[in-house]
Amino acid sequence: MKPPPFEYVAAASLDGALEALAEPSLETRALAGGQSLVPMLNFRLAAPERLVDLNGIEELARVEETESGGLRLGAMVRHLRLERDPLIARRAPLLAEAAPFIAHPQIRSRGTVGGSVAHADPAAELPAVLLTLGARVRIARRSRGGESGSRVERTLDLEDFFLGPFFSALEPDELLTAIEVPPSAPGEGTAFDEVARRRGDYALAGVAARVRLDSRGVCDEAAISLVNGGATPCLMREAARTLVGAEPTPEAVGATAAACAETCEPAADMHANEAYRRHLVRTLTARVVSRAAGRART
Amino acid sequence: MRISARINGSAWSGDVEPRLLLSDFLRSEVGLTGTHVGCEHGVCGACTVQLDGEPVRACLMFAVQIEGHEVTTVEGLAAAAPGEAVSVERLHPVQRALHEAHGLQCGFCTPGILMTAEAFLRENPAPSREEIREAVSGHLCRCTGYHNIVEGVALAAERLAADGPGADRDGDR
Amino acid sequence: MSRAGGTWVGARVPRNEDARLLTGRAQFVEDVEPPGALHAAFVRSDLPAGRLRGLDVERARAHPGVHAVFTAADLGPLLRPGAVLVPPPPLEGLVFHARTALPLVRERIRHQGEALAMIVADSRYVAEDAAQLVEADIEPLDPVVDLGRALDEDAPRIHDDLPSNLAAYVRQAKGDYAAARARADLVLERRFSYDRGIGGAIENRAVVAEWDARADRLQVWDTTQAPIPVRNVVAAALGLSESQVRFIAPFVGGGFGPKIMFYAEEILVPWASIRLGRPVKWVEDRYENFFATTQERGQLHEAEISVTREGRILGVRDIFIHDSGAYDPYGLTIPINTQCTLLGPYRVPNYESEFRVAFTNKPIVTPVRGAGRQHGVFIMERLLDLAARGLGLDPVEIRRRNVIGSDEFPYNHEIMYQDFAPLRYDSGSYEESLEEAVRLVGHETFPRERERAQPDGRVVGVGVVNYVEGTGIGPYEGARITVEPGGTVRLATGVGTQGQGHFTSFAQIVADAIGVQPSDVRVVTGDTSDFHWGTGTFASRGAVVAGNAIHAAAQSVREKILRHAAKALEVDPEDLELADGAARVRGAPDLSVDLGALALSANPLRGAVEPGTEPGLEATSYFGPPYGTTANGTHAVVVAVDPETAMVEILRYIVVHDCGTVINPTIVEGQIHGGVAAGIGNAFYEELVFDEFGGTSNASFMDYLLPTSTDVPPIETAHLETPSTLNPLGTKGVGEGGAIPVAAAFAQAVEDALADIAPGLEILDIPLSPGRLFELLRGAS
């Protein structure tokens, strides 16, 4: 279980990284925290010819407040920071709540938000949490022939970023540079929970929810995302809509949970079959949405 | 590829192949065989070392990535210098507590647990048993059933609070 | 530290070996790297069943940094099947077909991970690069995966020369079960399954070999539990004298059974070192470990119990199939353990048991902690639970009515155990341990507690089960104790050590005998140059068999010390006591002589050693028990089950155990904690998943779930000490007891928790994953 040989580039700047990635004759790959990529290399399930190490790029490691009061998380912000940074706890408490569910401290000290999102693993916590928060991703690449300027950037809704299991909208020469989380609205509550075999394992199923209540206690916006609820990290738009316009009573929440369980498309694997996963989605959705609604009330 | 880093407080520089895992580098190039290798996919925790004071899996990093950083291994915990005989009296408080609590049997996973526990107690000097269990849950141990590891870390916390630099931070909680 | 009366046996002595382990200075095999060492990697079959039609290694041989690529064709006389390590016991009607593997595949592939070629290169990295260049042309064959169908007539045959996949058949019986059944008030019959797991030592296997052509000697560092037998096999295979070959098992990072096996790498790596004239190092990686290291425990049982209205056992019948994997090098140890341990601490007047061992295209099965005993305990305890339910009895009550009383020892079960001796219990405390566990868990008040609603919607249940553990079997172990002129005491024994605390518990035995501190005793285990008689560390026998050999050697050295000291001090030996590293005259402690000084004078450079005596303060002794001693205990567990998620949390875990004389309670508790954790893994987390093609789907620690610190609860222990009658120390083994009854306790507790929600729910299959419990709950509602 030793990695195959590769060429190593320690990028010192974003432009340097983009240039090193955009080498058409080579299979290149960005190395962020490496907590998913390096095991794949050690098992020899991946064999990129060039690894572009992003760990030295200071500009990708920043947590900033946006003009609108939201958050911009650089791709290289590590999971551990989600747990510890007071600004994140204030602006997006759901991130701080969910971060401890990601593997173990030794993984969180290296693993990054950008790496986790770019990996597009339907079993990962962060993509689901960020979907619930309505996040957008910033993507950059070096200009291709004929394009003006040195760098081309685009922004995508996170929902449009995930295309399949471990498959995203990123082109080979592109790099996910930042994640933008919109500001939370007044009257909003969020919650996360999952069922995993062991602490730190990928969840059998997990649910992230955001519920906004108006002054009468009626839900006027809801978002629910699932971990391991489908082929991609998935936002359950239809199911969440069933809660809008209603008070989040146990019955209403139960109906939403049932809708979630019905419409999700979980895969079966050795740890849980499809029926069990649906059942967990239902149970967890009811619990998590109730908790989010409770927080919205206070 | 040439790298320079600090390892257990000493400067190290030399050439390494980019694909050399940090775990293999420490063991075969630097001769620090206290860092053990159990799974090479980041689950068992035996290879845990500290990078700039934070625990990391040495099997999930390349040696070239420590350029300009500080690595601490189990050999860097106790006061004894290389070649000096080891004795219980010279152990770091966390090591000593694991000894007294019988928190190790075959001892293979122990170095990694020590590196996590030391960093954890700096961050959380007065943890509950439950917090300790969570903190070491990224380590697999097949011998101890964890019971005495948890007791050992709790004992270390008490010791450090009583006479270590953690004493003054205790009031924060 | 000093103890009144000089009694170290029984004391909580902190471990001698810890300081080295805690500072990263203890030597494990992987830490050994002789100058100029080359590194080996094996090319292994991804397919579990196939015919190797061709193997092209030329590209690998030509790869820069590769020194050699060996295939079966290169092995010459080494290409012969491995040894059967444990022959079957001489049972009437026994069928046993011994089939063992070649070191490298010649033609037939019988399980995933069988080695096709060995690559030796400058580094493991390069060796793995070259392994990817080997092209194997394999004709896939239909694999035998499903144990339940392995013995079907139309099942593909794994060993062509056998008429079926039957590896063995054994029947043992006592009394007349059919007659007992006919007069029973209640007969219950069920099918049970208990699936496979791995040993899960965190250290994988490793072998480092250094052939020194000038000295004509081979030195091998090996992660083995049995350095001496392995040394002997390797010497014979390589045509060397045993004295030319030194095996060292230094610190070994956990054994748990699989490291007792003899493996092809243990011959191939030394052989390659001789051939290439360079040291060769091989370190198994975790992926290889899932195939190349042995595993344990697939069994399917059809069992029934016959009881009276009062819950007395009239008889038990059990028919099972045991999965041996592709070969059966370890004989019948596991299924015989199952067959015998099923009887447990109970009076079972009529017993009928037969098993068939089947070959399958899965990795080889050999003992792993518990070694089939947990299967027997699971079946018996489950049958008792079902009978209790059927009779409206409390599960504890039915056990009370059937345990063997303290006045019934020695108790003869009238069948044969794995050590070829009759299954006899020397002593035990079955009633006491059950009552103590009941008291500790508060069983009498428990039903009321359960009715109290849990705030989080979970339901709570309790389980109480018994077990016995056959331990400390022969044939023998030995020890040599030497007092050195510096006053240090050296103890060498043949067993290897994998974390059991031998450096301390063995030292305690010596310290008691000759009046030194345990920390003054330097223990050497697992080095054939220090001691070359013995079998190894297995079957919970170290403290029993080696421990009593050490005790005997220590008594002999004590006598030598007294004789020499009496002469030096000109007193009668009876007037001497040994304490604080010296022999001194009772009542006149100023009249004393240090052990070091005595050692020096006992080995003079001039003068004469008295005729009929030996030089030095040294003695070697051996101990072989007539038959194994039987430990016992009771486990009680309290669980909380979330019926919505099917997740189970263990709230309390209590172990009352009796391993006879306790040498070091701290170490014994550690053994129990670890055993319980392994048992929890087996019961709830660990399962090897094979796909329809026979491949392992979860060969990683990501998907094969070893329990971690948040899965194992704090464990409460209580010691009972009923000395063994079979050895002077009175010790019994304790290494496996923690693991043996966990699944049975767990199943009873989960059923109890769900008694109101799903009254008919029965747990008959282990492991009980949450997914499986979910299906059971769905089926019950």
Side-chain angles (χ1 to χ4, degrees):
Chain A
M1 289 183 62
K2 308 296 183 192
F6 51 80
E7 182 196 325
Y8 174 80
V9 178
S13 67
L14 176 55
D15 282 321
L18 295 178
E19 190 175 335
L21 280 171
E23 174 59 66
S25 65
L26 289 178
E27 189 197 334
T28 64
R29 193 118 185 212
L31 173 62
Q35 304 299 289
S36 298
L37 178 57
V38 181
M40 286 165 62
L41 295 172
N42 291 358
F43 276 111
R44 299 205 178 204
L45 297 172
E49 289 159 294
R50 174 187 284 172
L51 278 189
V52 181
D53 189 347
L54 311 178
N55 283 278
I57 307 177
E58 200 274 330
E59 62 192 290
L60 292 183
R62 292 182 199 140
V63 175
E64 295 163 319
E65 226 170 332
T66 59
E67 303 72 26
S68 60
L71 279 176
R72 185 181 297 112
L73 306 172
M76 291 301 291
V77 168
R78 302 193 196 271
H79 300 323
L80 203 59
R81 184 133 173 224
L82 301 180
E83 293 171 70
R84 291 184 183 169
D85 191 317
L87 179 67
I88 294 173
R90 216 163 43 241
R91 298 289 167 172
L94 185 61
L95 284 171
E97 182 182 357
F101 287 94
I102 303 169
H104 301 283
Q106 306 84 354
I107 302 289
R108 298 201 289 275
S109 66
R110 282 304 284 176
T112 63
V113 295
S116 175
V117 170
H119 193 48
D121 184 348
E125 287 85 358
L126 262 191
V129 165
L130 289 165
L131 278 173
T132 302
L133 294 175
R136 292 160 65 81
V137 287
R138 299 278 296 160
I139 294 168
R141 63 171 167 81
R142 203 178 71 149
S143 301
R144 295 169 190 157
E147 288 171 339
S148 60
S150 67
R151 195 196 288 178
V152 176
E153 296 189 68
R154 62 180 177 137
T155 305
L156 264 186
D157 281 343
L158 188 56
E159 208 183 346
D160 300 327
F161 180 78
F162 299 116
L163 303 179
F166 306 100
F167 178 42
S168 75
L170 274 186
E171 300 285 336
D173 59 347
E174 284 185 322
L175 190 68
L176 191 162
T177 57
I179 293 150
E180 291 176 357
V181 180
S184 63
E188 203 173 86
T190 56
F192 179 84
D193 201 0
E194 68 176 33
V195 170
R197 291 297 313 269
R198 301 173 301 186
R199 176 91 209 164
D201 278 341
Y202 285 114
L204 299 179
V207 176
R210 181 169 58 88
V211 176
R212 196 175 69 198
L213 302 182
D214 66 15
S215 52
R216 299 162 302 151
V218 171
C219 173
D220 62 6
E221 197 185 324
I224 299 167
S225 311
L226 304 184
V227 178
N228 245 336
T232 62
C234 46
L235 192 58
M236 305 301 288
R237 283 189 179 281
E238 296 301 316
R241 207 167 285 148
T242 62
L243 199 65
V244 176
E247 270 185 61
T249 58
E251 293 71 32
V253 170
T256 301
C260 247
E262 249 162 64
T263 52
C264 70
E265 294 171 341
D269 63 22
M270 68 188 83
H271 300 301
N273 63 19
E274 193 194 315
Y276 183 35
R277 281 221 158 87
R278 273 187 207 284
H279 180 81
L280 288 175
V281 164
R282 182 177 183 148
T283 302
L284 283 169
T285 304
R287 289 177 186 179
V288 169
V289 169
S290 298
R291 202 181 308 152
R295 286 171 181 166
R297 281 190 203 102
T298 54
Chain B
M1 187 164 185
R2 187 147 191 93
I3 58 163
S4 301
R6 292 190 73 77
I7 300 172
N8 292 336
S10 307
W12 193 95
S13 60
D15 281 312
V16 295
E17 196 190 352
R19 65 163 159 169
L20 185 66
L21 295 170
L22 177 58
S23 46
D24 288 333
F25 164 76
L26 290 169
R27 293 175 49 77
S28 61
E29 304 292 314
V30 194
L32 296 171
T33 55
T35 298
H36 295 153
V37 172
C39 77
E40 294 181 297
H41 54 281
V43 182
C44 80
C47 69
T48 301
V49 299
Q50 291 179 3
L51 182 75
D52 301 330
E54 292 284 1
V56 297
R57 307 288 205 218
C59 73
L60 297 189
M61 277 188 73
F62 299 108
V64 289
Q65 295 187 283
I66 67 167
E67 165 67 30
H69 292 276
E70 163 99 42
V71 175
T72 311
T73 71
V74 68
E75 289 92 342
L77 272 188
E84 205 178 320
V86 289
S87 67
V88 169
E89 292 67 36
R90 303 293 297 270
L91 297 178
H92 182 278
V94 183
Q95 292 171 317
R96 190 157 181 178
L98 275 193
H99 167 64
E100 289 175 23
H102 188 33
L104 66 154
Q105 289 183 28
C106 81
F108 192 80
C109 68
T110 309
I113 289 173
L114 288 167
M115 301 320 288
T116 288
E118 195 276 335
F120 167 68
L121 292 176
R122 265 189 278 123
E123 193 67 27
N124 186 352
S128 66
R129 294 288 197 282
E130 219 166 305
E131 288 170 326
I132 295 171
R133 280 191 183 269
E134 288 220 16
V136 300
S137 66
H139 293 271
L140 297 177
C141 168
R142 193 62 148 172
C143 293
T144 63
Y146 309 101
H147 181 108
N148 287 340
I149 293 174
V150 175
E151 293 306 306
V153 176
L155 181 63
E158 277 170 37
R159 293 276 171 73
L160 287 164
D163 50 45
D168 45 36
R169 288 184 302 181
D170 222 11
D172 295 347
R173 294 180 61 85
Chain C
M1 190 191 291
S2 173
R3 274 170 59 90
T7 308
W8 290 104
V9 167
R12 292 183 179 272
V13 179
R15 299 204 317 171
N16 287 337
E17 52 266 62
D18 283 358
R20 289 168 67 194
L21 290 163
L22 284 161
T23 51
R25 294 179 184 191
Q27 187 185 57
F28 291 86
V29 175
E30 198 182 347
D31 305 339
V32 176
E33 186 140 347
L38 301 174
H39 296 261
F42 288 87
V43 180
R44 297 182 184 279
S45 172
D46 291 328
L47 287 171
R51 227 179 277 284
L52 183 62
R53 287 190 297 218
L55 195 61
D56 182 354
V57 300
E58 289 317 309
R59 281 176 68 212
R61 275 198 179 123
H63 191 69
V66 171
H67 290 252
V69 179
F70 299 118
T71 68
D74 301 306
L75 295 183
L78 279 190
L79 192 69
R80 55 170 182 254
V84 175
L85 293 182
V86 184
L91 287 160
E92 203 189 314
L94 168 91
V95 175
F96 179 66
H97 301 295
R99 291 295 179 277
T100 58
L102 296 171
L104 294 172
V105 167
R106 182 172 46 200
E107 195 232 339
R108 190 67 181 267
I109 294 159
R110 296 191 176 88
H111 71 82
Q112 188 179 9
E114 273 204 273
L116 309 178
M118 176 187 191
I119 294 171
V120 187
D122 283 334
S123 75
R124 172 76 182 207
Y125 288 74
V126 173
E128 289 190 21
D129 295 343
Q132 290 187 302
L133 302 174
V134 171
E135 282 169 42
D137 176 13
I138 299 170
E139 174 198 345
L141 298 174
D142 281 343
V144 178
V145 185
D146 181 353
L147 177 59
R149 293 171 55 191
L151 296 176
D152 287 357
E153 249 170 53
D154 58 350
R157 269 181 301 156
I158 293 165
H159 297 278
D160 285 336
D161 58 322
L162 293 176
S164 73
N165 292 322
L166 182 77
Y169 168 80
V170 168
R171 181 177 190 279
Q172 293 210 73
K174 69 166 176 173
D176 181 347
Y177 178 73
R181 186 185 206 276
R183 60 173 194 276
D185 296 313
L186 179 69
V187 178
L188 281 164
E189 94 189 72
R190 292 290 187 280
R191 299 165 77 96
F192 301 92
S193 71
Y194 203 119
D195 219 332
R196 268 186 187 235
I198 64 167
I202 306 303
E203 178 200 44
N204 291 308
R205 291 185 298 124
V207 181
V208 180
E210 184 173 20
W211 168 248
D212 184 336
R214 289 188 192 84
D216 208 22
R217 280 179 67 96
L218 176 68
Q219 183 151 314
V220 184
W221 292 262
D222 185 7
T223 55
T224 180
Q225 294 172 233
I228 297 166
V230 173
R231 192 275 306 259
N232 297 350
V233 169
V234 169
L238 298 176
L240 297 169
S241 142
E242 288 179 1
S243 65
Q244 279 177 286
V245 183
R246 178 188 183 188
F247 259 70
I248 302 167
F251 282 96
V252 173
F256 313 115
K259 287 178 183 166
I260 196 74
M261 262 298 295
F262 180 77
Y263 292 95
E265 296 91 349
E266 288 168 325
I267 282 193
L268 292 173
V269 173
W271 174 79
S273 174
I274 293 171
R275 252 200 71 154
L276 299 171
R278 296 272 294 268
V280 177
K281 176 172 181 173
W282 169 72
V283 181
E284 182 185 55
D285 65 34
R286 182 54 62 186
Y287 184 68
E288 286 182 282
N289 181 266
F290 275 92
F291 317 104
T293 290
T294 56
Q295 309 175 345
E296 203 192 290
R297 56 187 74 142
Q299 289 186 358
L300 301 172
H301 287 249
E302 285 179 35
E304 64 174 60
I305 188 167
S306 295
V307 292
T308 67
R309 190 167 294 119
E310 298 76 33
R312 296 204 192 283
I313 301 169
L314 293 173
V316 172
R317 192 165 84 117
D318 179 36
I319 294 171
F320 67 99
I321 307 177
H322 171 79
D323 179 359
S324 185
Y327 304 96
D328 57 359
Y330 215 83
L332 300 177
T333 301
I334 299 171
I336 290 184
N337 272 343
T338 305
Q339 183 169 60
C340 290
T341 310
L342 184 144
L343 295 168
Y346 304 111
R347 284 183 226 100
V348 181
N350 302 285
Y351 184 41
E352 197 176 303
S353 166
E354 64 179 59
F355 64 79
R356 284 168 179 77
V357 178
F359 290 119
T360 62
N361 288 115
K362 295 184 195 166
I364 302 167
V365 167
T366 67
V368 176
R369 198 172 203 169
R373 298 179 184 88
Q374 51 270 67
H375 305 64
V377 169
F378 182 72
I379 307 299
M380 184 61 157
E381 297 293 321
R382 295 274 63 209
L383 288 173
L384 285 171
D385 291 340
L386 293 163
R389 201 190 282 183
L391 295 166
L393 276 176
D394 183 281
V396 168
E397 191 51 38
I398 197 166
R399 286 166 172 80
R400 269 187 194 128
R401 293 181 188 180
N402 289 287
V403 290
I404 295 163
S406 297
D407 54 351
E408 295 179 64
F409 294 99
Y411 190 90
N412 191 344
H413 268 306
E414 299 164 45
I415 59 172
M416 188 180 279
Y417 193 48
Q418 55 139 318
D419 60 352
F420 303 6
L423 182 64
R424 268 180 304 205
Y425 297 163
D426 52 328
S427 63
S429 55
Y430 306 161
E431 292 164 320
E432 298 92 312
S433 86
L434 176 59
E435 295 310 329
E436 180 65 0
V438 166
R439 189 183 69 79
L440 288 170
V441 78
H443 191 265
E444 304 302 332
T445 58
F446 204 85
R448 259 172 290 131
E449 217 169 282
R450 191 179 62 214
E451 281 160 25
R452 233 177 286 148
Q454 297 289 302
D456 54 5
R458 296 191 300 174
V459 288
V460 174
V462 65
V464 179
V465 301
N466 295 311
Y467 72 97
V468 298
E469 182 193 359
T471 75
I473 57 171
Y476 78 98
E477 288 300 333
R480 186 179 64 247
I481 295 170
T482 313
V483 181
E484 295 184 353
T488 302
V489 181
R490 197 173 72 224
L491 159 63
T493 176
V495 300
T497 190
Q498 306 89 39
Q500 297 91 339
H502 291 153
F503 298 90
T504 309
S505 52
F506 289 171
Q508 288 174 253
I509 297 170
V510 176
D512 264 355
I514 63 173
V516 296
Q517 306 281 313
S519 56
D520 294 333
V521 182
R522 192 171 164 267
V523 178
V524 179
T525 67
D527 183 340
T528 59
S529 71
D530 272 290
F531 204 85
H532 64 273
W533 295 105
T535 49
T537 308
F538 59 93
S540 302
R541 64 195 287 281
V544 182
V545 190
N548 279 287
I550 290 160
H551 176 70
Q555 293 304 323
S556 299
V557 169
R558 176 187 172 86
E559 273 161 37
K560 285 189 182 180
I561 293 169
L562 290 173
R563 209 161 51 234
H564 282 277
K567 208 170 146 195
L569 296 170
E570 298 178 338
V571 295
D572 198 81
E574 257 91 272
D575 296 333
L576 291 171
E577 61 179 8
L578 302 186
D580 299 333
R584 57 192 188 203
V585 176
R586 257 184 255 273
D590 288 350
L591 278 177
S592 77
V593 54
D594 285 351
L595 298 192
L598 284 174
L600 201 58
S601 69
N603 183 23
L605 291 175
R606 294 291 182 275
V609 167
E610 270 178 45
T613 66
E614 292 163 351
L617 299 182
E618 180 173 287
T620 303
S621 296
Y622 299 90
F623 179 78
Y627 57 96
T629 173
T630 303
N632 69 276
T634 305
H635 287 203
V637 61
V638 181
V639 301
V641 184
D642 183 338
E644 284 297 315
T645 62
M647 297 301 285
V648 181
E649 187 192 357
I650 302 173
L651 301 177
R652 284 184 75 194
Y653 205 100
I654 294 158
V655 176
V656 179
H657 82 103
D658 190 338
C659 64
T661 305
V662 171
I663 298 170
N664 185 326
T666 304
I667 288 175
V668 165
E669 284 159 16
Q671 287 289 312
I672 290 168
H673 296 161
V676 169
I680 289 171
N682 293 159
F684 197 59
Y685 292 99
E686 298 175 38
E687 181 168 14
L688 282 164
V689 181
F690 295 89
D691 62 28
E692 59 191 300
F693 310 108
T696 303
S697 309
N698 58 341
S700 84
F701 276 169
M702 270 182 256
D703 284 320
Y704 184 88
L705 311 177
L706 292 178
T708 183
S709 53
T710 41
D711 309 313
V712 181
I715 297 158
E716 305 159 51
T717 49
H719 304 281
L720 301 174
E721 292 193 56
T722 310
S724 170
T725 57
L726 300 177
N727 63 67
L729 285 172
T731 45
K732 301 179 176 187
V734 72
E736 297 166 272
I740 290 170
V742 180
F746 195 76
Q748 191 190 110
V750 170
E751 279 181 13
D752 183 46
L754 296 169
D756 298 333
I757 295 171
L761 186 144
E762 292 181 358
I763 295 165
L764 308 175
D765 305 302
I766 289 294
L768 176 72
S769 63
R772 201 164 274 162
L773 184 58
F774 170 74
E775 291 301 326
L776 286 175
L777 279 164
R778 227 167 43 151
S781 65

